[in-house]
Amino acid sequence: MRRKLVAGNWKMHGGLSRNRDLLQSLAQAIGAGGGADYAVCAPFPYLAQTQTLLNGTAIAWGGQTLSEHAEGAYTGEVSAAMLADFGCRYVIVGHSERRSLYGESNQTAAVKFVAAARAGLTPILCLGETLEQREGNVTEQVIAAQLDAVVETAGVSGFAGAVIAYEPVWAIGTGRTATPQQAQDVHAFIRARLARRDAALAQRVQILYGGSVKPQNAAELFGMADIDGGLIGGASLVAQDFVAICRAADQ
Ligand code: 13P
């Protein structure tokens, strides 16, 4: 049995006082740990605050992206080592918003994945198709290309210390969740594709689902054979909702 992980992605939301309330509520409700692992991915300026408030709890934290470079003249960028300096365990790589709004390619995701792993962080690699791609019946080709680019750069062994998140773009922030079976089918496809290179490793990799996960649908999604937890956007900003989703993963 793979352990489940529920990770919150705050995206560009929050502020000092709102974060304090949220983090204190989470620490109180799930900070002692449970049957699953928990994490929150905060905007860069709030990582120090997140570290202070979650230190010593069972809730890990991480960044939402990182630079592919280790150091240098890259104004505005944040390196993997900087995230590690603030106690991050995770970093999201290749989120669909990074791909669509900031021009990140499959290759960009691959080099960022390697940069994260090199600094001892656990990359959460996001894969997902657009509505147009799903309707055009190219979901598997899209996912395969996104995954293969990282496997070719990092090696399949790079996934020993990584997490994958399947996030169909059409389900992100839309309230339109993939059905448990739609998600399961893609999760099984991802695992099978990794298994062609390393069957034992593929069985161990956590594959999260993301896209309009709510307390109302979390348990059913997490009950599917290849869904190992969730990457949560909107609902991760509401303590009660995030805690309920974490509890669904504890089962
Ligand atoms: P929502 O849960 O708001 O749909 O966002 C999902 C997501 O993009 C998490 O990374």
Side-chain angles (χ1 to χ4, degrees):
M1 259 294 268
R2 286 176 298 273
R3 203 171 158 82
K4 289 193 167 48
L5 166 66
V6 177
N9 172 11
W10 292 356
K11 309 193 179 183
M12 200 173 76
H13 295 289
L16 281 176
S17 84
R18 186 171 158 193
N19 301 346
R20 189 190 325 104
D21 291 348
L22 176 57
L23 290 167
Q24 284 174 342
S25 300
L26 298 184
Q28 201 168 24
I30 52 172
D37 294 326
Y38 321 120
V40 295
C41 295
F44 295 142
Y46 302 119
L47 287 172
Q49 180 194 28
T50 302
Q51 179 179 36
T52 302
L53 291 171
L54 293 184
N55 216 358
T57 74
I59 311 167
W61 56 93
Q64 299 174 7
T65 183
L66 78 164
S67 170
E68 61 268 50
H69 303 289
E71 189 175 31
Y74 302 104
T75 301
E77 294 291 284
V78 171
S79 71
M82 292 172 185
L83 295 177
D85 251 353
F86 285 88
C88 289
R89 182 183 305 166
Y90 296 102
V91 62
I92 299 171
V93 170
H95 191 279
S96 67
E97 287 149 21
R98 301 297 315 175
R99 295 176 190 262
S100 68
L101 302 172
Y102 301 99
E104 295 191 6
S105 64
N106 290 344
Q107 194 50 37
T108 312
V111 291
K112 290 190 174 197
F113 182 102
V114 170
R118 229 175 241 150
L121 300 173
T122 299
I124 301 176
L125 173 67
C126 296
L127 313 173
E129 81 288 2
T130 63
L131 184 60
E132 194 184 11
Q133 290 164 337
R134 173 159 285 264
E135 287 175 346
N137 289 318
V138 291
T139 297
E140 290 189 352
Q141 285 98 304
V142 170
I143 302 287
Q146 291 172 340
L147 181 63
D148 291 356
V150 182
V151 172
E152 275 148 33
T153 302
V156 70
S157 62
F159 284 82
V163 173
I164 296 173
Y166 168 55
E167 295 210 316
V169 177
W170 48 272
I172 295 177
T174 58
R176 182 176 167 191
T177 321
T179 66
Q181 192 58 52
Q182 277 176 323
Q184 165 61 26
D185 289 348
V186 179
H187 283 231
F189 172 78
I190 293 168
R191 201 178 301 286
R193 197 156 182 100
L194 279 178
R196 300 203 310 204
R197 314 250 189 170
D198 187 332
L201 187 147
Q203 275 312 310
R204 290 196 304 270
V205 174
Q206 288 170 313
I207 307 179
L208 315 183
Y209 168 77
S212 298
V213 179
K214 306 284 178 225
Q216 298 78 357
N217 58 27
E220 204 189 346
L221 286 160
F222 299 167
M224 304 305 285
D226 287 291
I227 301 184
D228 307 314
L231 184 56
I232 319 299
S236 75
L237 299 169
V238 181
Q240 202 181 320
D241 288 356
F242 190 67
V243 167
I245 293 167
C246 289
R247 299 249 190 262
D250 284 340
Q251 306 302 314

